[in-house]
Amino acid sequence: MKGDLVFMLFYFLFFVSFLREARAAELVEDNINNNQKNNTGVYIVYMGAADSTNGSLRNDHAHILISVLKRNQSALLHNYKHGFSGFAARLTEEDALSIAQKPGVVSVFPDPIIKLHTTRSWDFLKYQTSIKIDSKPNNSSTSSDDTVIGILDTGIWPESASFTDLDMGPIPKRWKGTCMKAQDFTPSNCNRKLIGARFYNDPEDESSEFLTPRDIIGHGTHVASTAAGSTVVGASYYGLAEGTAKGGSPGSRIAMYRVCTPFGCRGSAILSAFDDAIADGVDVLSLSLGSPAAFKPELTEDPIAIGSFHAVENGIIVVCSAGNDGPSSKTVANVAPWILTVAATTIDRDFQSNVVLGGNTVIKGEGINFSPLKQSPVYPLINAQSAVQANGDSVAARKCQLDSLDKDKVKGKIVICDSTSYSDSVEDKIEAVKNVEGLGVIAIDDLIRAVASTYGDFPATVISSKDADKILLYVNSTSEPVATILPTVTMTEYKPAPAIAYFSSRGPSYISRNIIKPDIAAPGVEILAAWMGNDTSQAPKGKDPPLFNVISGTSMSCPHVSGVAASVKSQNPTWSPSAIKSAIMTTAIQKNNLKAPITTDSGSIATPYDYGAGEMTTSGPLQPGLVYETSTTDYLNYLCYIGFNISTIKIISKTIPEGFVCPQDSSSDNITDINYPSIAISKFEGKNTKNVTRTVTNVAGDDAVYTAIVDTPSEVTVNVIPDKLQFTTNSQKQSYQVIFSLTATSLKEDLFGSITWTNGRYSVRSPFVLSSKSNV
Ligand SMILES: *[C@@H]1O[C@H](CO)[C@@H](O)[C@H](O)[C@H]1NC(C)=O
Ligand SMILES: *[C@@H]1O[C@H](CO)[C@@H](O)[C@H](O)[C@H]1NC(C)=O
Ligand SMILES: *[C@@H]1O[C@H](CO)[C@@H](O)[C@H](O)[C@H]1NC(C)=O
Ligand SMILES: *[C@@H]1O[C@H](CO)[C@@H](O)[C@H](O)[C@H]1NC(C)=O
Ligand SMILES: *[C@@H]1O[C@H](CO)[C@@H](O)[C@H](O)[C@H]1NC(C)=O
Ligand SMILES: *[C@@H]1O[C@H](CO)[C@@H](O)[C@H](O)[C@H]1NC(C)=O
Ligand SMILES: *[C@@H]1O[C@H](CO)[C@@H](O)[C@H](O)[C@H]1NC(C)=O
Ligand SMILES: *[C@@H]1O[C@H](CO)[C@@H](O)[C@H](O)[C@H]1NC(C)=O
Ligand SMILES: *[C@@H]1O[C@H](CO)[C@@H](O)[C@H](O)[C@H]1NC(C)=O
Ligand SMILES: *[C@@H]1O[C@H](CO)[C@@H](O)[C@H](O)[C@H]1NC(C)=O
């Protein structure tokens, strides 16, 4: 059952069209096709800020709710009132349209399905190593005791060793969260580490296995232990990636909000979780999920953008994954400027399962398997193309598609399978080859090769197309080609690392080219972290279920950043979400372990569209020197710039400054001007000059003089005025202008550079992007 659920989940995410028979798939297809229209009859009514005076409903909220309940007592599914106002209910289309016209309503939209950001295919979603956080602040387990990381995900497996509370002090008094009771979960499953656990009904599926905070998928357990898992010595996936597992902020508390089922994550549940988390008192929110790249929701119809706006207004930093829809450009999700958006990179570990050919030539392969084959090449080898069935489709056979191979030709052999598209998973090839009693699979795929998947006992590995030529040449050169596939060994200090994971979603943002997204990158490939305790589908034959698992995705990179954000917060409890975000971004690095620029999967030098400010470090954000604070006014100006009017903005924000009005001549061009830790300019062409202002705040506590260093491509001149900033007190703010002038006559492609303020001790770096394209 469990295995089936996992199967459906990942197919839901990425292979929806192949599952027409399954009820799950129908549901999912309906929802995807009608997502922005009228799928289930459940609508979210978003009404902006909550009552700021006391905990009661806003009058307009109460009135609309009463009118809905009058019609049907059981129509209401969620009521939002702590962090913001609104509700989710089953409505007719007419009622939804009529409510949308009422005063105080910002938006009414069908409840969307949001997806987990594991890998782009379940093919990549497998094995793992210890969490790669390079250094920890000293004594973090005492200093970060009072930081709570809230996680919206698939639930948690509370018995995991990663959630023991041995060294934890008492739960902070201010904590108002709860541990909900369910059939397989009681409040006693919570402790001083796991201090909150809630779940939300899916109106489309009330199965009891979903009415619990317990994780039956593994994803939430994995993410939670990456963010704040306790130290576990000797963690491994059946001996692979052995080491000490611990979260980014092992001293922080965890509160799990289960919003996802195997069918996806309901927008209405996500909003309920935000509403609760704000009232419960979390400090950091971590969301490894988002809308599929193709949806591109408006901000007012995006539950994550809405919920995170109010969380940030309440002092909570919100960290979200960028998505796994790369490497195509303009695929990044969770692009609102108040979100810290995380891309994924590789780490310096490699899971090698090599191929040995007759004559003992070794070909490098990547994959996680526990191959029972002999170490010497004694098994017959065949190119799948030559195993096509009589009158069969030779292209299908070449790729080892189901029912394309001739059993007489494949039986007892290792099969070489080509792969040229994402929709052909290695698992599918394995199934096709197993069906005709083949012995092993050597798959050819340059992208998949970079992200090892788990194939259990079956000898399977992925090789590069370059190496494939060698093998095919060998097969052609002899009448009886032989080979073997070796079981996986973990290689460390792999170089170059980090590199951008090919699946990581890329910028620019679909909402605006005037803010760089993603913001930051962190490890998201082959990450070892805790797993649910009864997942036999991940166990090799005869072994107990794994306690840790190795999986990949921006889902895995997000909690690395959430953990560091919690560490920064615990050392600097008064810092705003934007100060913490700035600290993480301005201290990022852009070099790999060969001291060369970080590259993408294709080998090109990574740009801010791939990794924002660069790869996060764990020590830099604790002492950034200066920070860029993005104020509420900046965010409200942003809403003006993207076209909201003042009446709507007044409904949305509860912290709106006295007398706030939208700036005259507001246009999307002005988004560049909000005080963000990076700079992006669109419509930059001809003899253009653009003047951008930024303000930095001294957080190093003492006298300091900073000097600007500019790294710019030759097509532009960049002047920073002034080019020295002097600070005499802590919290002091200083502003500067940056004047960009194009020296070339036109800008053929987007240009990238950076501005770094340094005082010898701290370096505070902001990347910039200049584009001739229009804003959106
Ligand atoms: C694992 O445990 C959960 C919760 O008790 C249960 O729903 C699920 O069916 C179990 N899975 C397996 C494979 O036993
Ligand atoms: C809503 O669903 C009904 C029934 O499935 C369909 O007839 C109607 O066209 C849908 N409306 C929209 C806006 O999709
Ligand atoms: C809260 O506000 C509502 C309406 O603004 C008011 O009716 C109610 O008396 C207030 N409650 C308290 C406890 O102040
Ligand atoms: C009220 O809502 C419930 C749940 O959506 C639905 O099953 C029921 O048919 C509705 N009743 C009426 C009278 O519309
Ligand atoms: C942590 O403490 C150890 C020993 O006290 C010291 O060597 C190390 O530099 C410290 N690390 C940091 C990040 O402060
Ligand atoms: C860490 O904690 C130990 C014991 O509580 C203490 O002696 C030491 O000074 C602390 N180190 C730092 C850097 O705070
Ligand atoms: C191997 O032989 C096949 C069939 O004769 C041919 O299509 C293919 O190009 C050859 N491959 C190599 C690498 O020589
Ligand atoms: C503000 O915008 C909303 C939504 O677009 C619209 O309904 C409303 O009439 C506008 N208000 C004013 C004063 O322009
Ligand atoms: C918005 O940008 C335009 C063009 O750069 C500029 O003329 C205008 O003054 C800006 N408006 C604000 C409010 O900054
Ligand atoms: C850039 O803009 C700032 C603020 O609008 C202004 O004070 C400054 O004079 C401008 N600098 C130049 C060179 O235009």
Side-chain angles (χ1 to χ4, degrees):
M1 180 56 191
K2 173 67 249 332
D4 289 346
L5 287 176
V6 169
F7 179 82
M8 283 192 282
L9 169 68
F10 300 129
Y11 276 66
F12 156 51
L13 298 178
F14 305 113
F15 296 119
V16 164
S17 60
F18 297 151
L19 273 185
R20 288 188 198 284
E21 289 91 36
R23 174 190 153 291
E26 279 165 24
L27 190 143
V28 158
E29 288 217 328
D30 276 5
N31 284 319
I32 284 182
N33 293 338
N34 292 327
N35 200 303
Q36 310 307 357
K37 301 196 200 84
N38 72 345
N39 49 350
T40 62
V42 176
Y43 288 84
I44 292 169
V45 177
Y46 169 53
M47 302 188 64
D51 191 314
S52 52
T53 53
N54 64 36
S56 61
L57 293 191
R58 259 170 42 196
N59 280 342
D60 47 3
H61 180 181
H63 280 141
I64 296 175
L65 210 53
I66 287 165
S67 74
V68 166
L69 289 172
K70 249 188 207 153
R71 253 187 234 190
N72 188 338
Q73 278 290 340
S74 51
L76 183 69
L77 300 166
H78 301 279
N79 191 20
Y80 312 124
K81 57 181 181 181
H82 305 298
F84 48 94
S85 293
F87 58 92
R90 252 178 243 281
L91 301 172
T92 63
E93 212 172 327
E94 298 74 54
D95 283 347
L97 286 172
S98 127
I99 290 172
Q101 304 309 311
K102 293 213 174 9
V105 175
V106 177
S107 56
V108 178
F109 55 100
D111 190 5
I113 288 193
I114 312 282
K115 65 178 187 175
L116 294 171
H117 281 161
T118 41
T119 42
R120 98 174 285 136
S121 97
W122 109 295
D123 204 357
F124 307 118
L125 199 153
K126 301 306 143 133
Y127 280 61
Q128 160 56 7
T129 77
S130 78
I131 290 157
K132 173 90 179 194
I133 287 275
D134 33 277
S135 70
K136 285 279 146 29
N138 277 333
N139 297 354
S140 62
S141 71
T142 51
S143 63
S144 55
D145 270 5
D146 288 335
T147 310
V148 183
I149 305 181
I151 296 169
L152 275 58
D153 213 288
T154 63
I156 195 158
W157 194 268
E159 292 84 6
S160 167
S162 292
F163 308 126
T164 57
D165 65 354
L166 278 185
D167 300 323
M168 312 280 308
I171 294 170
K173 289 222 167 47
R174 66 189 169 84
W175 177 246
K176 297 198 191 67
T178 186
C179 280
M180 287 171 69
K181 200 171 149 37
Q183 208 178 344
D184 53 10
F185 202 97
T186 73
S188 68
N189 283 127
C190 283
N191 58 20
R192 286 167 294 163
K193 162 63 72 180
L194 175 63
I195 65 170
R198 295 180 185 266
F199 64 90
Y200 301 89
N201 298 7
D202 181 342
E204 289 312 304
D205 204 320
E206 305 260 293
S207 316
S208 65
E209 62 198 327
F210 305 154
L211 297 178
T212 170
R214 184 172 290 275
D215 190 2
I216 57 161
I217 294 166
H219 189 271
T221 302
H222 199 275
V223 164
S225 68
T226 299
S230 304
T231 302
V232 181
V233 177
S236 79
Y237 184 79
Y238 302 106
L240 294 174
E242 188 157 6
T244 298
K246 62 181 165 183
S249 182
S252 291
R253 324 283 182 158
I254 295 168
M256 174 58 68
Y257 299 84
R258 179 177 175 175
V259 297
C260 303
T261 73
F263 307 121
C265 324
R266 284 274 167 197
S268 54
I270 290 170
L271 280 171
S272 266
F274 269 110
D275 196 38
D276 286 337
I278 291 168
D280 289 349
V282 306
D283 300 292
V284 177
L285 275 170
S286 189
L287 282 83
S288 289
L289 37 94
S291 298
F295 283 3
K296 306 192 184 336
E298 302 272 324
L299 289 182
T300 51
E301 301 195 351
D302 177 350
I304 298 179
I306 293 169
S308 56
F309 179 87
H310 294 288
V312 169
E313 229 185 358
N314 282 280
I316 300 164
I317 178 165
V318 182
V319 186
C320 297
S321 45
N324 305 322
D325 294 306
S328 309
S329 72
K330 249 182 163 178
T331 44
V332 60
N334 297 323
V335 295
W338 43 84
I339 293 173
L340 178 50
T341 313
V342 187
T345 50
T346 61
I347 57 177
D348 66 346
R349 182 176 35 223
D350 201 30
F351 292 103
Q352 284 186 4
S353 168
N354 293 340
V355 177
V356 184
L357 303 176
N360 291 326
T361 308
V362 178
I363 304 284
K364 255 197 201 171
E366 180 94 6
I368 299 174
N369 69 62
F370 304 96
S371 168
L373 299 184
K374 296 193 183 112
Q375 305 263 324
S376 51
V378 295
Y379 306 96
L381 178 65
I382 187 168
N383 185 357
Q385 198 171 355
S386 348
V388 62
Q389 286 174 338
N391 305 320
D393 174 353
S394 75
V395 175
R398 184 161 59 86
K399 297 182 185 174
C400 298
Q401 287 175 357
L402 273 179
D403 304 326
S404 66
L405 300 172
D406 183 337
K407 185 168 176 178
D408 291 338
K409 294 180 183 150
V410 168
K411 190 174 175 182
K413 294 185 182 151
I414 293 175
V415 186
I416 304 165
C417 305
D418 203 354
S419 168
T420 48
S421 83
Y422 301 136
S423 54
D424 271 327
S425 77
V426 177
E427 275 74 9
D428 290 343
K429 297 178 200 303
I430 290 174
E431 196 188 340
V433 168
K434 268 186 176 168
N435 284 351
V436 289
E437 297 179 29
L439 214 58
V441 164
I442 299 171
I444 306 166
D445 194 304
D446 291 320
L447 286 182
I448 294 177
R449 210 203 78 82
V451 180
S453 288
T454 304
Y455 310 119
D457 297 307
F458 194 77
T461 189
V462 184
I463 62 171
S464 70
S465 52
K466 218 167 122 205
D467 286 339
D469 290 344
K470 287 187 215 158
I471 298 194
L472 294 176
L473 211 58
Y474 163 73
V475 171
N476 279 10
S477 71
T478 167
S479 55
E480 288 181 4
V482 288
T484 191
I485 298 173
L486 302 179
T488 303
V489 291
T490 313
M491 307 296 291
T492 52
E493 293 176 41
Y494 180 85
K495 295 187 174 80
I500 308 297
Y502 81 88
F503 57 73
S504 188
S505 289
R506 310 302 159 98
S509 147
Y510 67 90
I511 289 187
S512 168
R513 276 184 188 267
N514 289 332
I515 290 220
I516 301 174
K517 288 284 171 175
D519 293 302
I520 192 76
V525 174
E526 297 159 6
I527 302 302
L528 179 82
W531 201 242
M532 62 203 219
N534 69 347
D535 188 2
T536 47
S537 75
Q538 297 294 302
K541 254 183 230 107
K543 302 273 189 180
D544 290 337
L547 302 176
F548 290 82
N549 200 0
V550 181
I551 59 176
S552 301
T554 52
S555 277
M556 282 64 244
S557 58
C558 170
H560 281 89
V561 176
S562 308
V564 167
S567 298
V568 176
K569 174 83 181 175
S570 57
Q571 303 225 335
N572 306 280
T574 61
W575 285 12
S576 68
S578 68
I580 296 170
K581 173 177 177 173
S582 174
I584 290 171
M585 288 172 66
T586 62
T587 56
I589 54 171
Q590 298 77 37
K591 294 266 170 73
N592 62 27
N593 57 3
L594 291 173
K595 299 194 163 34
I598 291 173
T599 54
T600 67
D601 48 281
S602 68
S604 60
I605 292 178
T607 75
Y609 291 149
D610 302 308
Y611 65 9
E615 173 89 352
M616 177 184 70
T617 70
T618 52
S619 50
L622 298 171
Q623 297 186 312
L626 307 174
V627 294
Y628 293 82
E629 293 213 74
T630 316
S631 65
T632 301
T633 305
D634 280 309
Y635 294 137
L636 300 182
N637 281 337
Y638 172 84
L639 295 178
C640 297
Y641 299 152
I642 63 170
F644 287 54
N645 62 34
I646 188 71
S647 24
T648 304
I649 291 172
K650 278 184 173 156
I651 301 170
I652 292 177
S653 175
K654 69 166 187 184
T655 49
I656 189 159
E658 190 81 31
F660 176 85
V661 288
C662 278
Q664 296 255 305
D665 317 319
S666 286
S667 88
S668 58
D669 299 339
N670 303 105
I671 292 171
T672 297
D673 298 325
I674 80 167
N675 201 41
Y676 211 75
S678 58
I679 298 173
I681 298 172
S682 62
K683 295 190 199 162
F684 190 70
E685 55 191 346
K687 283 279 163 223
N688 211 334
T689 292
K690 177 83 187 176
N691 180 352
V692 178
T693 302
R694 285 289 184 272
T695 301
V696 282
T697 307
N698 180 22
V699 293
D702 46 0
D703 282 12
V705 178
Y706 284 83
T707 310
I709 299 171
V710 174
D711 176 15
T712 183
S714 58
E715 295 92 332
V716 277
T717 312
V718 178
N719 281 306
V720 180
I721 302 171
D723 63 358
K724 277 198 170 38
L725 295 177
Q726 175 149 24
F727 296 89
T728 51
T729 58
N730 197 33
S731 308
Q732 189 179 359
K733 290 180 190 291
Q734 296 277 11
S735 295
Y736 63 92
Q737 272 82 50
V738 190
I739 296 139
F740 296 92
S741 327
L742 194 59
T743 53
T745 46
S746 70
L747 213 164
K748 286 190 194 66
E749 44 194 24
D750 293 0
L751 299 178
F752 308 100
S754 66
I755 295 159
T756 305
W757 290 100
T758 176
N759 71 344
R761 181 149 183 230
Y762 305 118
S763 284
V764 187
R765 179 182 180 276
S766 292
F768 65 76
V769 175
L770 307 173
S771 173
S772 63
K773 302 198 178 65
S774 65
N775 176 36
V776 184

